[in-house]
Amino acid sequence: MLTLPLSAVGQSQTGITTVEPCNAEPPPPSPAMYQLDIVLKKGNNLAIRDRTGTSDPYVKFKIAGKEVFRSKTIHKNLNPVWDERTSLLVESLREPLYVKVFDYDFGLQDDFMGSAYLYLESLEHQRTLEVSLDLKDPHYPDHNLGSLELSVTLSPREGDIRDACQSMRLSDVHRKAQLWRGIVSISLIEGLGLQPMDSNGRSDPYVKFRMGHQKYKSKTISKTLNPQWREQFDFHMYEEQGGYVDITVWDKDAGKKDDFMGRCTIDLSLLSKEHTHKLELPLEEGEGLLVMLVTLTASAAVSISDLSVNVLDDPNERHQIKQRYSMWRSLHNLKDVGVVQVKVIRAEGLMAADVTGKSDPFCIVELSNDRLQTHTVYKNLNPEWNKVFTFNVKDIHSVLEVTVYDEDRDRSADFLGKVAIPLLSIQNGERKAYVLKSKELTGPTKGVIFLEIDVIFNAVKAGLRTLIPIEQKYMEEEPRVSKQLLLRNFNRVRRCITFLINTGCYINSCFEWESPQRSICAFVLFVILVWNFELYMIPLALLLPLAWNYILITSGKDTRQDVQAMEDLMEDEDEDFDKDDRDSERKGFMNKLYAIQDVCISVQNALDEVASYGERIKNTFNWTVPFLSWLAMVALGMATLIVYFIPLRYIVLAWGVNKFTKKLRDPYAIDNNEILDFLSRVPSDVQVVQYRELKQDPNPSPNKRKKNNPG
């Protein structure tokens, strides 16, 4: 084994094991870029972090405060073997490689297991070195936390790349992490013969998928060893040769840590592209197997360019794109709904995040699971990016999120502001100044960002895609108990219930003859409708308030509820979220209340779902999103005609035949409800507030600014 010179190994003042530069002969003049090839081999005698006497370790690599690699998690093992490879492009050898090990804890904050530094200046060029890093805790430098074994190769890269990248300060490795080569579509069908984990001889299984930083989690199927999921998940594939999808199966346990039921891996390099593969994967460290369909599709869905080079400014290119999404091509490639181009021009008056009174801002643009990033403009509160981002639109009801961060070399980036823009609210070609909002989109923060956005889409495809399940976002951190969220969701449900009670009281007032004129009209209408009732009158009755509210809105009488009440409800939310973050660090206390947390989260989410659907139904009739209201009018109009001209028995018969033969025609069909899928695209009152543009206040109140400042 090749080892580093003794003079290269030492211990920092913080107690973290480091690999320091040796006093060898100085190297030749530094090239513009280096390639660092690392093989993470294994860990030895790692620290115990779980009550079972084991740990679930994974490893992170960081350079200049940015995470550049994260390994898979090895469950219940203190001597894990990873054998994972990664290649990094490094601009400067002065920045060490920071290695951190964590113990994965489902639903809780992951436990720190130790860290070490590898100083790149100590490595010989173009020679593979076997390195052993002793892990230490800065707060307890005397504790032995085990070691990691790595294989490291440092190679200079030819060519003067530094000059080309000097104005951008965004390395090729970061570009590669943003632009993907294809889509991996996984349909999770079922599990067979899974291991019983509960005392009743059954389990409550769910599945977690991980591919690099992308994570998904399936729904939980209760009390079964042969669950039927029928869910679909899409991953971005960054490497041409494929990659690995790590899959773990868990048993949901209320009040305690979920039980591990097994794992399996998909090697994408073994699967051909543009073809659907049916896989039956046996579970390692468990029983049974998973059945799924996997499809690899090439993709050119996103791009980054300078402001001087963009597609839609070329009349010929713009005409071709419009032809591509014309009405004549409505039934061609239904998944390709449209294209959106985002010009990120500049920002003004940003918050100063550094002690120097400046910031190092960069911007991240997200559309569903597509995520692109600008370069960093250093020491500037009025940065100019002048970048153009292009995304393919798979769902016209998606929301474009633009977030500004401050780059920090020593820790994670600081949040500076964010805007959320529904695609259907965009005015093509209009350059606008958007007021930045807080992290939870509940109020303004300091600064504005200038964007110019164009959306071209096919309305027929967009309407058809509205009736299929919405694309899930990557699995994010587990939800936490929040008193503010619980109170807000309760108030939202109370408002919906109050509306129903008021409606009932109004109807009851007709029976009580409180207003003779109104009661007489209601009685005559009731007799006429009952005597002449036909089934087509049901969708017609829903169609009439849509048409009536549209007439009122077009005449200047907006009947939509003022959002001021919702803003008042949400204005202090940033403060409460910060408090929740501090409380969540007291992990010991949260462990004792784990069962209560589970129940509270369930109630909190249930209240949110009930309130959201009530508000979405209301917002459909209030023309909050005109496209969806028009779609509802068309659907209700067609339903009226169908029910009017076709006898009910034939409609019911056709529906029953379709439902009974659906699984025979397509055994792997994913179940969905078109009405719920439609409503999932309609924004709730909370989302209406979050997506609403803020007006610039020329003389903001100091107290208000301080109140809404997320920093």
Side-chain angles (χ1 to χ4, degrees):
M1 175 188 293
L2 293 173
T3 57
L4 295 174
L6 290 177
S7 59
V9 180
Q11 188 169 335
S12 68
Q13 294 180 354
T14 62
I16 301 177
T17 302
T18 62
V19 181
E20 300 174 351
C22 62
N23 297 323
E25 184 177 346
S30 299
M33 191 80 73
Y34 299 86
Q35 178 172 320
L36 181 63
D37 297 312
I38 304 174
V39 179
L40 174 62
K41 292 187 172 181
K42 61 181 181 178
N44 298 314
N45 301 319
L46 300 185
I48 297 173
R49 289 293 183 262
D50 293 340
R51 289 173 291 182
T52 57
T54 61
S55 294
D56 306 316
Y58 66 89
V59 181
K60 286 184 178 182
F61 293 163
K62 287 189 174 184
I63 295 181
K66 300 295 183 182
E67 182 177 321
V68 293
F69 171 79
R70 175 170 172 165
S71 75
K72 62 186 178 184
T73 301
I74 305 295
H75 295 278
K76 300 180 181 179
N77 200 325
L78 299 181
N79 297 281
V81 177
W82 285 283
D83 278 335
E84 292 189 56
R85 302 173 183 271
T86 184
S87 295
L88 310 174
L89 292 183
V90 182
E91 295 181 4
S92 171
L93 299 184
R94 291 191 296 271
E95 296 291 346
L97 178 72
Y98 187 27
V99 182
K100 301 178 75 175
V101 184
F102 291 91
D103 166 59
Y104 174 76
D105 278 337
F106 176 78
L108 300 170
Q109 183 178 351
D110 293 347
D111 296 320
F112 177 71
M113 295 180 64
S115 61
Y117 281 103
L118 174 65
Y119 276 84
L120 305 183
E121 292 175 317
S122 66
L123 303 178
E124 299 181 47
H125 293 181
Q126 297 181 332
R127 183 179 179 186
T128 301
L129 299 176
E130 304 294 333
V131 180
S132 178
L133 298 178
D134 292 331
L135 300 173
K136 296 293 182 182
D137 187 334
H139 302 293
Y140 306 98
D142 297 333
H143 289 186
N144 181 15
L145 302 180
S147 62
L148 293 179
E149 292 187 13
L150 291 76
S151 176
V152 183
T153 306
L154 183 66
S155 306
R157 292 290 298 269
E158 299 298 329
D160 191 5
I161 305 175
R162 189 180 300 268
D163 291 340
C165 297
Q166 186 173 5
S167 63
M168 296 179 60
R169 301 290 292 272
L170 182 64
S171 67
D172 289 344
V173 65
H174 294 142
R175 284 184 178 273
K176 184 176 180 182
Q178 298 178 51
L179 300 178
W180 46 94
R181 310 298 180 93
I183 301 294
V184 181
S185 179
I186 298 179
S187 294
L188 175 63
I189 305 301
E190 61 184 350
L192 299 174
L194 300 185
Q195 183 177 356
M197 305 300 292
D198 297 337
S199 57
N200 58 10
R202 300 189 179 184
S203 295
D204 306 313
Y206 65 90
V207 180
K208 297 171 74 172
F209 297 87
R210 184 190 187 102
M211 182 178 173
H213 67 281
Q214 307 169 76
K215 296 182 288 184
Y216 282 114
K217 177 181 173 183
S218 77
K219 60 187 177 185
T220 301
I221 308 297
S222 301
K223 299 179 182 179
T224 180
L225 301 181
N226 300 284
Q228 297 278 328
W229 284 287
R230 301 185 184 276
E231 294 183 86
Q232 181 173 324
F233 310 94
D234 289 338
F235 292 89
H236 293 148
M237 186 166 58
Y238 295 94
E239 301 178 5
E240 291 181 354
Q241 64 270 27
Y244 294 91
V245 180
D246 293 317
I247 305 169
T248 54
V249 184
W250 299 82
D251 170 57
K252 181 71 175 178
D253 281 333
K256 58 180 180 178
K257 189 173 181 180
D258 294 347
D259 297 322
F260 176 72
M261 298 180 63
R263 68 191 316 268
C264 57
T265 303
I266 302 176
D267 186 351
L268 300 178
S269 63
L270 303 178
L271 304 180
S272 58
K273 294 184 179 179
E274 311 299 337
H275 178 72
T276 299
H277 306 266
K278 181 181 178 182
L279 303 181
E280 296 183 357
L281 303 175
L283 294 177
E284 303 173 7
E285 306 175 42
E287 300 176 6
L289 55 86
L290 297 180
V291 180
M292 59 189 68
L293 304 179
V294 182
T295 307
L296 276 62
T297 307
S299 173
V302 297
S303 68
I304 306 176
S305 63
D306 291 320
L307 196 60
S308 58
V309 183
N310 66 85
V311 175
L312 293 183
D313 281 356
D314 185 341
N316 293 329
E317 292 284 351
R318 191 181 188 94
H319 177 72
Q320 290 182 11
I321 291 176
K322 286 187 174 181
Q323 289 295 318
R324 176 178 165 190
Y325 299 108
S326 65
M327 298 298 292
W328 302 108
R329 296 176 60 84
S330 295
L331 300 180
H332 177 74
N333 191 6
L334 293 178
K335 291 186 177 181
D336 186 14
V337 172
V339 63
V340 57
Q341 177 182 273
V342 185
K343 295 181 182 178
V344 182
I345 312 298
R346 68 182 189 277
E348 291 182 356
L350 296 180
M351 188 189 310
D354 298 335
V355 293
T356 59
K358 300 287 185 180
S359 292
D360 304 321
F362 65 92
C363 188
I364 289 179
V365 184
E366 297 177 84
L367 184 67
S368 296
N369 286 319
D370 300 341
R371 186 176 188 271
L372 298 177
Q373 176 180 322
T374 69
H375 59 282
T376 302
V377 179
Y378 292 91
K379 298 184 179 358
N380 201 322
L381 298 181
N382 302 288
E384 292 192 12
W385 292 289
N386 293 322
K387 290 294 174 185
V388 180
F389 301 95
T390 305
F391 300 90
N392 269 18
V393 177
K394 293 176 281 187
D395 190 343
I396 196 60
H397 311 288
S398 300
V399 177
L400 183 73
E401 296 184 354
V402 183
T403 312
V404 183
Y405 291 96
D406 167 64
E407 182 181 301
D408 201 320
R409 299 174 69 87
D410 300 324
R411 49 193 170 91
S412 59
D414 295 322
F415 176 85
L416 296 181
K418 180 178 183 179
V419 293
I421 309 166
L423 295 184
L424 285 173
S425 69
I426 292 171
Q427 300 293 326
N428 281 352
E430 181 182 2
R431 183 170 297 189
K432 295 181 66 174
Y434 292 88
V435 177
L436 293 174
K437 293 186 176 183
S438 60
K439 188 176 294 185
E440 301 302 326
L441 298 170
T442 54
T445 185
K446 193 174 181 183
V448 296
I449 186 168
F450 290 83
L451 306 172
E452 183 179 328
I453 311 173
D454 283 271
V455 181
I456 299 175
F457 69 97
N458 182 290
V460 175
K461 291 183 182 180
L464 293 175
R465 291 284 292 175
T466 304
L467 302 178
I468 68 172
I470 194 169
E471 180 183 7
Q472 295 189 39
K473 293 205 74 171
Y474 295 148
M475 188 178 70
E476 300 175 351
E477 63 182 42
E478 294 296 321
R480 302 189 306 268
V481 175
S482 168
K483 181 183 69 176
Q484 181 69 11
L485 271 179
L486 195 62
L487 179 62
R488 189 185 75 186
N489 292 336
F490 174 77
N491 288 332
R492 291 166 63 198
V493 172
R494 186 176 63 181
R495 288 167 59 201
C496 293
I497 294 175
T498 302
F499 171 78
L500 295 177
I501 293 174
N502 291 338
T503 303
C505 291
Y506 180 83
I507 295 173
N508 188 64
S509 69
C510 296
F511 299 145
E512 298 293 334
W513 292 82
E514 294 179 3
S515 172
Q517 297 88 349
R518 185 173 64 207
S519 297
I520 291 174
C521 292
F523 177 73
V524 172
L525 183 62
F526 171 77
V527 172
I528 293 174
L529 287 178
V530 171
W531 186 259
N532 299 284
F533 178 78
E534 295 288 346
L535 197 59
Y536 71 86
M537 294 180 180
I538 296 177
L540 180 62
L542 298 174
L543 183 62
L544 291 177
L546 268 173
W548 176 251
N549 282 337
Y550 177 72
I551 294 172
L552 291 179
I553 292 172
T554 53
S555 63
K557 299 178 181 179
D558 195 341
T559 60
R560 288 172 286 190
Q561 180 180 355
D562 189 10
V563 297
Q564 187 61 45
M566 184 58 67
E567 287 183 332
D568 294 340
L569 196 63
M570 297 169 63
E571 63 178 349
D572 293 328
E573 200 160 285
D574 285 330
E575 254 177 53
D576 292 290
F577 271 107
D578 292 338
K579 184 178 180 181
D580 289 340
D581 289 338
R582 292 192 298 270
D583 292 341
S584 66
E585 294 174 1
R586 295 180 290 180
K587 184 179 173 184
F589 177 73
M590 292 302 294
N591 271 340
K592 296 177 182 178
L593 299 178
Y594 198 95
I596 299 177
Q597 171 179 318
D598 232 14
V599 173
C600 289
I601 289 175
S602 299
V603 173
Q604 174 179 294
N605 292 339
L607 289 174
D608 175 67
E609 190 167 352
V610 171
S612 293
Y613 276 109
E615 292 165 354
R616 285 167 176 164
I617 293 172
K618 177 200 67 177
N619 290 338
T620 300
F621 287 94
N622 281 350
W623 292 82
T624 300
V625 181
F627 180 91
L628 289 171
S629 296
W630 275 116
L631 195 62
M633 284 194 69
V634 172
L636 290 172
M638 293 177 62
T640 302
L641 294 175
I642 290 172
V643 175
Y644 180 78
F645 287 107
I646 302 176
L648 178 61
R649 63 175 62 87
Y650 296 119
I651 297 175
V652 174
L653 182 63
W655 174 83
V657 170
N658 176 66
K659 295 295 287 186
F660 277 105
T661 61
K662 187 173 182 180
K663 193 167 184 179
L664 297 177
R665 289 181 281 112
D666 187 358
Y668 304 114
I670 296 174
D671 295 329
N672 70 293
N673 185 304
E674 288 80 6
I675 296 177
L676 294 182
D677 292 335
F678 172 86
L679 289 175
S680 68
R681 269 54 172 220
V682 182
S684 64
D685 285 354
V686 173
Q687 291 171 320
V688 169
V689 174
Q690 292 177 337
Y691 303 157
R692 196 178 66 157
E693 296 178 24
L694 297 178
K695 296 180 180 179
Q696 299 185 51
D697 189 355
N699 298 308
S701 169
N703 294 332
K704 186 175 181 180
R705 173 174 294 181
K706 182 178 180 181
K707 187 176 186 179
N708 291 293
N709 192 336

